[in-house]
Amino acid sequence: MAAPTSSFNVTQSTIGIDLNNTSTTQLFALGTKAFGTNNSEWVYVQAATSITAYKCVAFNGLFTCGMASGGDLIGGIAEMAVAQNAFAASDFGWVCRRGDRVGVMCTGSVSVANQLFMAGSSTPTGICSISASGSNTIYGISLVTVVDTANATVHSAIVSWPRGIPTTLL
């Protein structure tokens, strides 16, 4: 199967968009959307905390972003995306809402058919898991690679506006 894309390029004519790096300076209005290679859609955010590349993030209506946890997704208060770059706290950058061959970090032995969950409290926030003991069922992330490992690993995925539903509601 195809590996995650190592870099994305902009497919629109907006000058200055860099989907592969972050900045300490705000270069665009927060919430600006951009479109890139591999059918990708991005949103411009500011990191509230440090963010690890390939982890799921949650952002609010002010487009402040942090690594996602179950609490972020309860009641639909936050929207989800996947960071393709590491962010330092207060950095500005782009997070992926949709695309093919997007890198997503998951724990456990996963396969293409696995349902994904937001990892529980014993796992760092932002990591998908195949364990139903996770906080939320995640929809909108479909893995396209199979990696058999117990460690957190980056997988190639099709991302389509990810969202979470608390497992208690299912």
Side-chain angles (χ1 to χ4, degrees), residues 30-31 46 59-64:
L30 295 176
Q46 182 176 24
F59 60 92
N60 60 22
L62 299 174
F63 300 97
T64 302

Side-chain angles (χ1 to χ4, degrees), residues 40-111:
S40 59
E41 180 181 323
W42 303 75
V43 64
Y44 194 69
V45 298
Q46 182 176 24
T49 61
S50 61
I51 296 170
T52 305
Y54 306 114
K55 290 190 178 180
C56 291
V57 296
F59 60 92
N60 60 22
L62 299 174
F63 300 97
T64 302
C65 179
M67 287 191 289
S69 68
D72 292 322
L73 306 175
I74 294 172
I77 297 169
E79 295 186 54
M80 283 181 69
V82 182
Q84 296 300 285
N85 307 295
F87 285 68
S90 300
D91 273 1
F92 296 90
W94 300 90
V95 292
C96 188
R97 301 283 323 271
R98 176 175 58 96
D100 304 332
R101 293 178 49 210
V102 175
V104 177
M105 191 172 293
C106 298
T107 60
S109 297
V110 298
S111 69

Side-chain angles (χ1 to χ4, degrees), residues 142-168:
S142 298
L143 300 178
V144 294
T145 58
V146 177
V147 178
D148 191 19
T149 177
N151 299 321
T153 307
V154 177
H155 302 269
S156 182
I158 297 170
V159 174
S160 183
W161 301 286
R163 58 227 170 263
I165 296 176
T167 53
T168 56

